[in-house]
Amino acid sequence: ISIGYYDQHQSDLDPDNTIFDEVYDSYPDKTVTEIRNACAAFLFYGEDVFKKISTLSGGEKKRLYLVRLLLQNPNFLILDEPTNDFDIFTMNILEQFLMQYEGCLLLVSHDRYFMDKCVDSLFVLEEDGYISGFVGKCSEYIEYRTQLQKNKKGEVSPSLQPAKQSSATHSNGVNLSNTEPRNAPDSSSNTKKKLSFKE
């Protein structure tokens, strides 16, 4: 397994290097043509490759980091927020590369559109601290969660009267006449409590 890790802070770029030197120092076995072609794929043309890293914008540093990373040819690629500071054109280049990528991709991102294009299953950090799995795209998961919330709200009628009412029936036919407030203590110690929604 060859792991390629994309650090969103690009902490190991040498600010005194030029773009060309940074790539060449990492891959001295690559020819000048190979390095220039890789740089051009991420919009570094002609004399651009001789710019010092210290003069680059945040987006340019990210593009350089991707050039250096992808020349490694990893089969397990870990990308930590790769789309921050990218313009639309650069995003398209990255998306095209990842859609053709044949290795395993682990992507951390808040960009729903980007994830929809590049991933087919999710690890979701839930509000309660647990991690759940979902097979599908990000937009499908959001739709699924929305539907869950609607179903949850539909379990109890908003017109339900307090428990002292003699008789009440929910629209699904369940008799609610003995309903107690949610936080009321159990009347019998032998009665098993139901799990909450979060549980």
Side-chain angles (χ1 to χ4, degrees), residues 78-97:
I78 303 172
L79 302 181
D80 181 9
E81 293 286 4
T83 62
N84 288 354
D85 300 323
F86 273 10
D87 55 44
I88 293 174
F89 191 59
T90 308
M91 282 281 295
N92 287 337
I93 294 172
L94 180 60
E95 286 168 2
Q96 291 300 319
F97 171 81

Side-chain angles (χ1 to χ4, degrees), residues 63-75:
R63 281 192 274 138
L64 170 58
Y65 202 85
L66 281 170
V67 171
R68 203 182 67 175
L69 176 65
L70 299 178
L71 275 174
Q72 179 187 328
N73 197 26
N75 56 17

Side-chain angles (χ1 to χ4, degrees), residues 2-199:
S2 172
I3 295 179
Y5 173 65
Y6 177 89
D7 174 5
Q8 65 171 306
H9 303 295
Q10 301 90 49
S11 52
D12 62 342
L13 292 177
D14 184 347
D16 295 325
N17 265 349
T18 63
I19 292 172
F20 183 88
D21 290 338
E22 183 69 24
V23 179
Y24 182 76
D25 287 351
S26 301
Y27 304 100
D29 57 323
K30 300 290 183 186
T31 65
V32 171
T33 302
E34 287 175 316
I35 292 174
R36 277 190 165 274
N37 286 342
C39 289
F42 281 86
L43 311 180
F44 295 116
Y45 303 112
E47 296 301 307
D48 289 346
V49 298
F50 301 115
K51 285 182 179 178
K52 280 210 165 189
I53 292 174
S54 58
T55 66
L56 300 180
S57 68
E60 287 173 323
K61 287 178 182 176
K62 287 177 181 291
R63 281 192 274 138
L64 170 58
Y65 202 85
L66 281 170
V67 171
R68 203 182 67 175
L69 176 65
L70 299 178
L71 275 174
Q72 179 187 328
N73 197 26
N75 56 17
F76 191 118
L77 192 55
I78 303 172
L79 302 181
D80 181 9
E81 293 286 4
T83 62
N84 288 354
D85 300 323
F86 273 10
D87 55 44
I88 293 174
F89 191 59
T90 308
M91 282 281 295
N92 287 337
I93 294 172
L94 180 60
E95 286 168 2
Q96 291 300 319
F97 171 81
L98 293 178
M99 285 189 285
Q100 296 169 10
Y101 179 66
E102 295 181 355
C104 179
L105 171 65
L106 179 61
L107 172 66
V108 181
S109 180
H110 63 278
D111 189 329
R112 299 176 189 178
Y113 180 78
F114 178 67
M115 285 193 289
D116 274 353
K117 281 199 163 188
C118 301
V119 304
D120 53 19
S121 59
L122 308 172
F123 294 112
V124 183
L125 305 180
E126 303 286 2
E127 294 172 1
D128 55 9
Y130 288 96
I131 300 175
S132 64
F134 182 84
V135 178
K137 297 186 179 297
C138 184
S139 57
E140 293 170 338
Y141 172 75
I142 292 168
E143 186 178 333
Y144 164 75
R145 282 296 299 268
T146 303
Q147 190 60 47
L148 270 185
Q149 293 298 327
K150 286 180 181 177
N151 291 346
K152 179 65 180 172
K153 288 177 181 176
E155 284 179 6
V156 180
S157 171
S159 60
L160 182 62
Q161 297 299 314
K164 64 182 181 181
Q165 184 177 349
S166 59
S167 176
T169 304
H170 191 270
S171 58
N172 62 11
V174 176
N175 190 328
L176 301 173
S177 57
N178 294 322
T179 303
E180 293 184 0
R182 178 178 290 233
N183 295 327
D186 243 337
S187 57
S188 167
S189 59
N190 296 328
T191 305
K192 186 177 178 183
K193 285 188 175 182
K194 290 184 179 178
L195 293 176
S196 71
F197 174 68
K198 281 194 174 182
E199 288 170 333

